[in-house]
């Protein structure tokens, strides 16, 4: 059983779209338990739509406001296994760091998304958490992305690329011009290696890197631009192979999945399913252990 705390007020169309997503998720997974965090009327709408047998798998945490901190607190207290929210990203990141705590060495947690590509999938981080990253933050994004690729997607020796405006040395702003030297020498978990500079087109093609590292501002712009283009023209992958439109917050001591503010019911359901799968595989704990072990070896 996976116990997921769901923020009922998160999203542009909340609570209606969250109610829809929660109903879809509950009916699709008989081993799911939802705790709906929000005002009583929104929670009652979900419970009322469920069959009597399904209602035993749904509880409520009545919180008229501050639903995201309330949901994080459930995980911190051991009353839930993961949080799903489509609310304000900044609130989710700050609440997760405060209620769950950050991993040692991680100053800026990263929102990690998976995008469809012509060659399969690519892991992109950050997509909105740390919008004004420095070299230390992007180096940590490289570690986090490599560990995520290795543990969750079982990619052997993931290739980590740095997003910039050209693949020739010296391209980009001051940060992108100085960072490659650091990344070349940076020990990465999972046998990962720095694969060099990548451009936006490389993200669509998916052949140059398994993990693409950038700041949250650029990553969010790229993510939303690609999603809109894919919605108009179709994604470069079969529909059944599309990853969920949700991001995992890496760097905090708990499973936190953030969906888009414009998410529809199926997107919320997919985010809940992602959170449940990550919990069942103990993915966040395994990633943390891998990073801890890799840094210990590097420090030796």
């Amino acid at each position: 059983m996976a116990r997921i705390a769901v923020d009922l007020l998160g999203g542009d169309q909340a609570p209606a779209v969250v109610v829809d997503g929660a109903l879809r998720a509950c009916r699709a997974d008989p081993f799911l338990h939802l705790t709906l965090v929000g005002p009583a009327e929104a929670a009652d709408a979900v419970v009322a739509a469920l069959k009597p047998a399904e209602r035993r798998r749904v509880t409520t945490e009545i919180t008229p406001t501050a639903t995201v901190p309330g949901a994080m607190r459930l995980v911190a207290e051991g009353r839930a296994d993961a949080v799903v929210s489509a609310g304000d990203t900044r609130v989710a990141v700050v609440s997760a760091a405060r209620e769950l705590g950050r991993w040692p060495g991680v100053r800026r947690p990263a929102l990690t998304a998976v995008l469809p590509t012509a060659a399969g999938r690519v892991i992109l981080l950050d997509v909105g958490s740390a919008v004004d990253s420095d070299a230390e933050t992007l180096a940590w994004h490289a570690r986090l992305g490599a560990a995520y690729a290795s543990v969750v997607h079982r990619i052997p020796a993931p290739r980590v690329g740095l997003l910039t405006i050209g693949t020739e040395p010296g391209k980009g702003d001051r940060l992108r011009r100085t960072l490659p030297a650091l990344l070349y020498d940076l020990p990465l978990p999972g046998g990962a290696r720095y694969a060099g500079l990548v451009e936006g087109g490389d993200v669509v093609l998916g052949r140059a890197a398994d993990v693409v590292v950038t700041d949250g501002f650029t990553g969010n712009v790229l993510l939303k631009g690609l999603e809109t283009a894919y919605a108009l023209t179709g994604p470069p992958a079969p529909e059944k192979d599309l990853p969920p439109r949700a991001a995992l917050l890496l760097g905090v001591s708990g499973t936190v999945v953030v969906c888009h503010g414009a998410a529809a019911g199926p997107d919320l359901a997919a985010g809940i399913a992602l959170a449940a799968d990550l919990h069942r595989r103990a993915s966040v704990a395994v990633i943390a252990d891998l990073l801890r072990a890799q840094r210990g070896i590097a420090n030796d």
Side-chain angles (χ1 to χ4, degrees), residues 124-128 130-133 138 163-165 173 176 200 212-225:
L124 177 66
L125 71 165
D126 180 22
V127 295
V131 298
D132 53 353
S133 303
L138 292 186
L163 184 65
T164 187
I165 59 174
D173 58 9
R176 271 76 175 181
V212 174
V213 171
T214 190
D215 61 275
F217 182 91
T218 305
N220 190 269
V221 171
L222 175 62
L223 174 69
K224 291 178 178 177

Side-chain angles (χ1 to χ4, degrees), residues 7-35:
D7 168 24
L8 281 174
L9 294 186
D12 298 342
Q13 305 299 322
V17 69
V18 186
V19 170
D20 181 26
L23 289 171
R24 291 171 182 266
C26 193
R27 289 166 177 163
D29 185 349
F31 300 101
L32 190 68
H33 185 282
L34 300 183
T35 297

Side-chain angles (χ1 to χ4, degrees), residues 226-254:
L226 288 178
E227 285 186 335
T228 301
Y230 294 162
L232 293 173
T233 65
E239 187 173 346
K240 63 182 178 63
D241 293 330
L242 293 180
R245 295 178 65 224
L248 172 65
L249 184 63
L250 279 175
V252 297
S253 298

